[in-house]
Amino acid sequence: MKIKKLVSHYLLLLLLIGMTEKSIAQDWANLSKYESENKSLQPKKSGEKRIVLMGDSITEFWLKIQSDFFSNKPYYIGRGISGQTTPQMLVRFRQDVINLQPDVVVILAGVNDIAGNTGPTTNEKIVGNIISMIELAHANKIKVILCSVLPAANFNWRPNDKAAQTIVELNQLIANYANTNTIPYVDYHTIMADTQNGLPKEYSEDGVHPNLKGYQTMSPLLEKAINDVLKS
């Protein structure tokens, strides 16, 4: 009986893996996730401002964990997808950013690239993808805010003992590009990192994703950057 149950669970697992692989193959960038929401979004009214937050799980979970940060700001539009890397974001940038006609796009990306979620990569390739998103935004008269990758000492789903240093080096490249091109840069890493360049338990349960206190630490930094850009 136990053997039958094990076989049954094993077959179910194979089925789920197969379904996941099939869905990824059919929609690698997960364009379907926000497709209906994008279509139902009302056209911008005269004088209305619109901010799109583009990113991965850290952006996606923000609305769920710190909903009050968004409650009085209907012009903040979250377009984060858990687990995504910068090439996936680049593929969906037109649908989930440009077509929404925002005034500003906030880009927070790179941690999943370092984790290797879509295969091995380099910091230079990650920055290249981010630059491509920036160029698309500027070509469509959308202002950009760049964010540092949050600190992380390791990844529980894909161990990498070089993660912390790689993140530091990636952030330096992003900050340098932002400074050279006069793009606002929100530095979450400096104020949140512990002595090992990890994300302490004070801000995170798993060392990667912020908890409520983590988001409460991040939100005033982002809000200031957005307000400054809208005034400029």
Side-chain angles (χ1 to χ4, degrees):
M1 194 66 176
K2 289 182 179 180
I3 293 175
K4 287 185 178 180
K5 285 185 178 180
L6 286 172
V7 171
S8 177
H9 290 162
Y10 179 68
L11 291 174
L12 178 60
L13 179 60
L14 288 178
L15 177 62
L16 290 172
I17 291 172
M19 290 171 62
T20 301
E21 288 178 346
K22 183 178 179 182
S23 62
I24 289 172
Q26 291 177 342
D27 187 7
W28 182 73
N30 204 352
L31 292 167
S32 61
K33 182 173 178 67
Y34 292 111
E35 188 173 14
S36 60
E37 290 183 40
N38 291 343
K39 287 179 179 177
S40 64
L41 195 66
Q42 296 297 315
K44 277 176 64 176
K45 298 177 183 178
S46 178
E48 177 187 349
K49 300 299 181 183
R50 183 173 286 177
I51 319 297
V52 172
L53 281 69
M54 180 60 146
D56 47 43
S57 57
I58 292 169
T59 297
E60 182 180 3
F61 297 162
W62 201 330
L63 178 59
K64 300 173 184 177
I65 294 176
Q66 195 194 9
S67 58
D68 61 308
F69 180 55
F70 296 84
S71 59
N72 297 317
K73 306 180 188 72
Y75 50 91
Y76 281 18
I77 301 171
R79 287 298 180 264
I81 298 182
S82 181
Q84 281 216 330
T85 59
T86 55
Q88 291 173 305
M89 293 178 207
L90 182 56
V91 169
R92 65 183 179 90
F93 198 81
R94 181 167 299 279
Q95 173 186 287
D96 288 346
V97 179
I98 295 171
N99 291 351
L100 307 187
Q101 298 182 311
D103 299 272
V104 181
V105 60
V106 179
I107 301 174
L108 170 53
V111 68
N112 290 315
D113 299 65
I114 293 172
N117 282 16
T118 51
T121 190
T122 64
N123 280 344
E124 288 72 23
K125 289 180 180 178
I126 297 169
V127 173
N129 290 326
I130 292 173
I131 291 172
S132 293
M133 287 187 262
I134 293 167
E135 291 174 345
L136 283 169
H138 286 168
N140 288 275
K141 297 181 170 57
I142 302 168
K143 295 179 179 179
V144 176
I145 295 173
L146 290 175
C147 301
S148 72
V149 176
L150 271 63
N154 215 321
F155 311 121
N156 53 23
W157 69 95
R158 197 183 298 270
N160 179 349
D161 58 8
K162 296 181 180 178
Q165 184 57 34
T166 306
I167 289 171
V168 168
E169 293 167 0
L170 174 60
N171 283 336
Q172 189 60 62
L173 291 174
I174 296 172
N176 289 345
Y177 183 86
N179 183 59
T180 301
N181 293 276
T182 321
I183 296 172
Y185 175 71
V186 181
D187 185 3
Y188 300 128
H189 191 283
T190 297
I191 66 167
M192 298 179 79
D194 60 22
T195 55
Q196 304 300 314
N197 282 320
L199 190 60
K201 290 185 178 180
E202 177 185 7
Y203 297 130
S204 174
E205 310 305 326
D206 64 1
V208 176
H209 300 92
N211 56 21
L212 179 57
K213 186 170 183 179
Y215 284 119
Q216 287 173 336
T217 302
M218 296 163 63
S219 55
L221 301 180
L222 178 58
E223 192 162 28
K224 182 183 184 304
I226 290 172
N227 290 337
D228 289 346
V229 167
L230 291 177
K231 290 175 184 176
S232 64

